[in-house]
Amino acid sequence: MSTPPSEPGTLFVPGGPAPGPKELYITDSSGNVQRAVSVAPAETAAASAATRTDPGFFRNLIKALNPLRQQTRTASAMSGLGIAALALDVAATMNLGNPFLFYDRRELWKEMGGRLESGRSDIWFSYFQDVSPNWKGQAADLLGRRVRFNTTVLYEKLHGVTGEMSGAMHSQFKEVLEYDLSVFGLYAASAPVLRTLAAMSAHPAGRVALISQAGVFVSALGNLVKQFADIYMAYESDLNKMEQKLNDVRAAFYEQGDPARGSRDLTLTPAVADRAHIHDYWQPASKDLR
């Protein structure tokens, strides 16, 4: 019930509760209040997630990388590989990403999984501690079937998706961080050598060495671009599989799987919340049944 014991009770029928936090009063079959439960709306629970601060790794990396890129571009142009080196330079550095974004999403999915499991446990134990021992009748039976075979199953499916998504975000966090460090390491190691050889390129031997080293650098950039493409395709495949699982869950939550058609509900008649007919649907369990 949604009102204090001193006021007429109001039953919330699933599928159409009023917005805002609710204080629900759990009663036994005699109408005595056993405990009160505060239920926050989903948007409030989501907003309560911990706020994480970007440590600035990516900004510092880009700041340190830009001078190195300029040095390698200049040396590559002097070697005669300017256009090819420039194209790969743009491709390799354009694929740099902020690993914190994936770390943040990893933690967000973990928090969502924790809230889902907590919600599932709250529903399960509330039904079997407060409803099942004290009430019987059409509404109680329908609620029991819903809790056993629908609600808990949906929660378990969603919890599984959150675990897989958190794992995928962790893997992408790791891959993005490793890619960023690989790109920076390549430029940090190559820029001083190319800069030195560029200064010696007026001599034929120096120019040959510059062309050779620039070729090695461009080849390494090409390998990095291919590495990124392989990683991208692998995780695109994983995310596609998880999208299919989310579509299955959406089909279970919404009528015909379409959010525009509204969520599935208990299909209870409005009379179940009418105090004049409440005992037609909710009957106190007899003493010998408890």
Side-chain angles (χ1 to χ4, degrees):
M1 306 298 285
S2 63
T3 52
S6 58
E7 301 177 11
T10 301
L11 181 68
F12 280 131
V13 178
K22 296 287 178 273
E23 187 83 3
L24 302 182
Y25 296 88
I26 309 299
T27 69
D28 59 18
S29 59
S30 300
N32 301 315
V33 175
Q34 301 298 298
R35 58 191 175 93
V37 179
S38 295
V39 181
E43 58 271 17
T44 302
S48 65
T51 301
R52 288 167 287 275
T53 303
D54 189 339
F57 162 83
F58 185 65
R59 292 191 300 271
N60 293 333
L61 181 139
I62 295 298
K63 184 178 179 180
L65 183 63
N66 284 334
L68 301 175
R69 291 183 64 196
Q70 186 59 45
Q71 294 171 22
T72 57
R73 284 182 173 187
T74 301
S76 297
M78 294 177 65
S79 72
L81 299 176
I83 296 179
L86 177 62
L88 287 172
D89 166 81
V90 171
T93 56
M94 183 176 61
N95 292 330
L96 290 169
N98 187 352
F100 172 79
L101 298 178
F102 296 96
Y103 166 82
D104 184 57
R105 285 164 174 76
R106 181 194 72 179
E107 297 303 302
L108 179 61
W109 281 103
K110 283 166 56 178
E111 291 165 1
M112 289 172 61
R115 291 198 300 272
L116 282 168
E117 180 58 24
S118 176
R120 186 200 68 81
S121 297
D122 288 345
I123 292 174
W124 183 264
F125 286 107
S126 292
Y127 175 77
F128 285 101
Q129 288 178 357
D130 301 313
V131 178
S132 179
N134 297 299
W135 301 96
K136 60 180 182 177
Q138 179 182 344
D141 291 342
L142 182 58
L143 180 60
R145 292 197 299 271
R146 181 78 171 194
V147 169
R148 289 172 183 267
F149 305 115
N150 189 286
T151 303
T152 55
V153 173
L154 290 175
Y155 268 91
E156 289 170 357
K157 286 184 177 180
L158 283 173
H159 186 264
V161 170
T162 61
E164 291 189 39
M165 284 297 295
S166 179
M169 292 300 103
H170 174 73
S171 297
Q172 293 191 40
F173 160 72
K174 174 178 176 291
E175 295 289 356
V176 169
L177 179 60
E178 290 180 349
Y179 181 83
D180 287 355
L181 294 176
S182 296
V183 171
F184 183 80
L186 175 62
Y187 277 87
S190 301
V193 176
L194 290 173
R195 183 178 66 245
T196 300
L197 293 176
M200 300 168 54
S201 62
H203 191 280
R207 181 165 179 77
V208 171
L210 174 62
I211 294 173
S212 176
Q213 186 63 35
V216 172
F217 173 70
V218 170
S219 177
L221 282 177
N223 288 334
L224 282 175
V225 172
K226 182 180 183 302
Q227 173 189 340
F228 177 86
D230 292 341
I231 293 171
Y232 178 88
M233 294 306 299
Y235 284 103
E236 180 69 17
S237 176
D238 289 344
L239 290 174
N240 182 64
K241 293 177 182 178
M242 278 181 275
E243 182 181 5
Q244 293 175 345
K245 291 184 178 181
L246 284 171
N247 287 339
D248 293 341
V249 175
R250 183 172 61 181
F253 267 114
Y254 297 103
E255 294 290 342
Q256 300 183 20
D258 183 4
R261 295 179 178 271
S263 60
R264 301 184 187 277
D265 56 33
L266 293 180
T267 63
L268 291 174
T269 171
V272 75
D274 186 348
R275 291 182 62 83
H277 300 89
I278 196 77
H279 293 296
D280 294 335
Y281 301 95
W282 297 91
Q283 292 126 31
S286 60
K287 297 293 184 181
D288 60 329
L289 294 178
R290 281 186 280 168

